[in-house]
Amino acid sequence: MTDLAHLLDGLRCAACHTMNVLWLDPVRALVECAECGQAAPAVTYPDEGKTA
């Protein structure tokens, strides 16, 4: 993990079902589990939900 990663508190890993182990790395646009190592791309929306 890099220093810029943020803990996603209150979320559960879909692969290993462990709570509070997901990290968001905005530089690599990944969400990664610290327990099992599973990674998934972070989905972002350019308008941040401002359009209907």
Side-chain angles (χ1 to χ4, degrees), residues 16-48:
C16 69
H17 306 289
T18 307
M19 287 287 292
N20 300 328
V21 292
L22 296 179
W23 289 88
L24 170 63
D25 185 343
V27 174
R28 297 186 304 157
L30 286 177
V31 175
E32 186 174 355
C33 177
E35 186 71 23
C36 70
Q38 182 71 29
V43 178
T44 59
Y45 298 100
D47 65 356
E48 298 178 10

